[in-house]
């Protein structure tokens, strides 16, 4: 990363999300998987796995948004049009960077 004087990786300041709309080969929508990769210098916590059950994909997006918008990303998106009922970041994946 040319912006990191300590020589960190570009992935440290990049957040990549990957989601699937199917949970198994029969295309069942339950237990679909999602990944959040990178962003360790933005507060994303590396090396974890969570089973959050049958949750809405917008929780994944709200979690990733914390890296750029802080602890309460939904409050900074009041005019955005998306399903917000019950959408909260998934705990334990992001912590405010020091």
């Amino acid at each position: 990363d040319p912006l990191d004087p300590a020589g960190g990786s570009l992935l440290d300041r990049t957040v990549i999300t990957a989601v699937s709309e199917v949970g198994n080969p029969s295309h069942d929508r339950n237990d679909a998987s999602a990944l959040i990769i990178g962003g360790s210098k933005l507060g994303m916590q590396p090396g974890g796995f969570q089973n959050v059950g049958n949750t809405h994909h917008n929780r994944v997006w709200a979690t990733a948004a914390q890296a750029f918008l802080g602890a309460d990303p939904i409050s900074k998106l009041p005019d955005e049009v998306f399903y917000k009922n019950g959408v909260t970041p998934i705990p334990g994946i992001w912590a405010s960077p020091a």
Side-chain angles (χ1 to χ4, degrees), residues 15-50:
V15 177
I16 300 167
T17 56
V19 297
S20 172
E21 292 185 6
V22 296
N24 58 48
S26 68
H27 293 270
D28 183 358
R29 294 182 69 110
N30 293 324
D31 297 326
S33 60
L35 296 169
I36 299 177
I37 303 164
S40 64
K41 294 215 174 170
L42 300 174
M44 303 310 286
Q45 302 299 297
F49 169 83
Q50 288 192 20

Side-chain angles (χ1 to χ4, degrees), residues 2-98:
L3 298 178
D4 189 352
S9 165
L10 187 60
L11 191 56
D12 292 341
R13 297 182 191 279
T14 304
V15 177
I16 300 167
T17 56
V19 297
S20 172
E21 292 185 6
V22 296
N24 58 48
S26 68
H27 293 270
D28 183 358
R29 294 182 69 110
N30 293 324
D31 297 326
S33 60
L35 296 169
I36 299 177
I37 303 164
S40 64
K41 294 215 174 170
L42 300 174
M44 303 310 286
Q45 302 299 297
F49 169 83
Q50 288 192 20
N51 184 350
V52 293
N54 197 9
T55 189
H56 200 277
H57 275 147
N58 281 343
R59 289 192 72 196
V60 174
W61 303 126
T63 303
Q66 289 179 301
F68 304 101
L69 301 176
D72 188 14
I74 303 299
S75 70
K76 295 180 179 68
L77 303 171
D79 298 327
E80 295 292 320
V81 178
F82 66 94
Y83 176 82
K84 297 179 187 178
N85 293 341
V87 174
T88 57
I90 300 167
I93 297 177
W94 180 84
S96 183

